[in-house]
Amino acid sequence: MNRIDFHAHILPGADHGSGSIDTSRRQLMLMRDAGVSAVVATPHFYPHRQRAESFLRMREQTVAELRQSLPEGAPLIYVGAEVLVCPGMHEMEGLDQLTVRGTNLLLLEMPTTAWNRALLDTVEEIREAGFHPVMAHIDRYPMEEVKKLLARGLSVQLNATAFSGLFGGKVYRQLIGTGSVVALGSDLHGSDPAGYQPFLKALKRLGGEANTVFERTAALLQGAIALQEEAPALLHT
Ligand SMILES: [Fe+2]
C-alpha cells in the first residue's frame, strides 16, 4: 500500500520547515524509514507577503537543489504549496501554478481568525474555477467552523497529530468514514525524528482506515509529476 504524506515542509530554504539541504535529506530519510512512498512538498505561500511569481521562482531553485542531493531510496516528491486563503484569492494571478504539479489539487490553509462569508465564498469560487481544494489540517480549527467546510462538500486533510489525543481522534476517524478526508499529512517541520513519530503512530492507530485515505490520495494524485520524473532543466535549453 502506498503511504502518502500529503503535507510536509521539506524544500531547503523554502520556508521554516528546512533551513538546509542537510535537513531536507534527513527529513526524507525519516520518511523513507517510515515506509512512506510519496510526499507532497508544501512550502507556505502567504498572499499578503509575496507574489506567486517570486514564490515560484524561489521554489524552483530549492527543487533544483534538492533534486541533486536526494538520499538513496527517497520517496517520490510531488511539488505543491500550502496556500493561505484570503478573500478574493480566486482572482489572484498565478494561483494555477500553486497546485500539486500536474494536478488541480490545491492545499488551502484557512486563517486562525473567524471565517467570514467572504472567505468561505472565495473557497467555493476557487473550486468553481476548476481547482480541487483540499483544506489543510482541519483538526487545528474548532469543529464548529470546520463544519462550514464540510457542509459545502469540501475535501479535507488531517494532520497525524489529530489522532494522538486522549480519545485517539475519534471524531476525525468518523470523518474518514464519510469520505471527506482525502489525505493525511505529517506537516513536518525540521528533521528531529520525534517530529515524525505522530505520523507513524497515526498509521498504527488507524490501520485499514489509513489505507482507505491513502487510496483516495493516490487516486487524486494520478497524473501528478514527481520531482524525480522531471526532465533536467538542461534538456529544455
Ligand atoms: Fe503546514
Side-chain angles (χ1 to χ4, degrees):
M1 166 52 59
N2 283 332
R3 287 184 174 182
I4 304 165
D5 185 344
F6 195 80
H7 184 158
H9 300 266
I10 56 166
L11 293 182
D15 60 18
H16 55 292
S18 166
S20 67
I21 286 279
D22 188 50
T23 298
S24 298
R25 282 177 57 84
R26 278 186 279 133
Q27 289 176 311
L28 289 165
M29 287 190 262
L30 283 176
M31 292 174 179
R32 173 196 66 195
D33 296 346
V36 168
S37 52
V39 54
V40 184
T42 53
H44 288 285
F45 173 77
Y46 297 117
H48 53 289
R49 285 197 206 156
Q50 60 208 134
R51 294 174 69 93
E53 195 189 332
S54 56
F55 170 82
L56 291 163
R57 217 179 305 127
M58 173 278 296
R59 193 183 65 178
E60 280 322 291
Q61 204 176 323
T62 67
V63 161
E65 284 170 25
L66 185 58
R67 189 189 286 122
Q68 287 171 9
S69 310
L70 291 173
E72 189 80 17
L76 280 179
I77 302 165
Y78 298 109
V79 179
E82 178 178 9
V83 178
L84 181 68
V85 191
C86 66
M89 179 172 245
H90 56 287
E91 291 176 340
M92 190 188 82
E93 209 175 305
L95 188 63
D96 57 326
Q97 302 287 306
L98 300 177
T99 59
V100 180
R101 205 176 278 164
T103 75
N104 64 346
L105 298 171
L106 193 61
L107 184 66
L108 292 180
E109 178 183 24
M110 295 296 272
T112 46
T113 50
W115 303 346
N116 59 26
R117 186 69 194 255
L119 192 70
L120 292 162
D121 285 350
T122 294
V123 175
E124 290 237 29
E125 293 276 5
I126 289 173
R127 179 167 62 180
E128 278 164 27
F131 294 94
H132 183 149
V134 177
M135 309 312 295
H137 46 53
I138 52 119
D139 45 289
R140 283 215 204 153
Y141 308 94
M143 191 43 95
E144 279 315 302
E145 291 291 290
V146 170
K147 279 180 181 163
K148 296 177 187 169
L149 300 175
L150 298 171
R152 292 171 186 234
L154 287 155
S155 299
V156 303
Q157 175 257 318
L158 293 171
N159 272 2
T161 46
F163 304 100
S164 46
L166 189 59
F167 301 106
K170 196 173 163 207
V171 63
Y172 301 115
R173 294 182 77 155
Q174 285 167 351
L175 211 50
I176 289 176
T178 69
S180 304
V181 180
V182 298
L184 300 173
S186 64
D187 205 353
L188 184 65
H189 289 73
S191 59
D192 183 343
Y196 215 61
Q197 280 305 311
F199 194 75
L200 281 171
K201 281 187 187 158
L203 295 190
K204 217 176 212 177
R205 185 164 264 175
L206 290 173
E209 291 163 274
N211 291 341
T212 301
V213 179
F214 290 145
E215 274 168 26
R216 291 174 191 158
T217 315
L220 289 176
L221 280 176
Q222 266 194 1
I225 306 160
L227 181 155
Q228 290 91 332
E229 293 165 356
E230 291 168 13
L234 272 178
L235 291 180
H236 295 299
T237 58

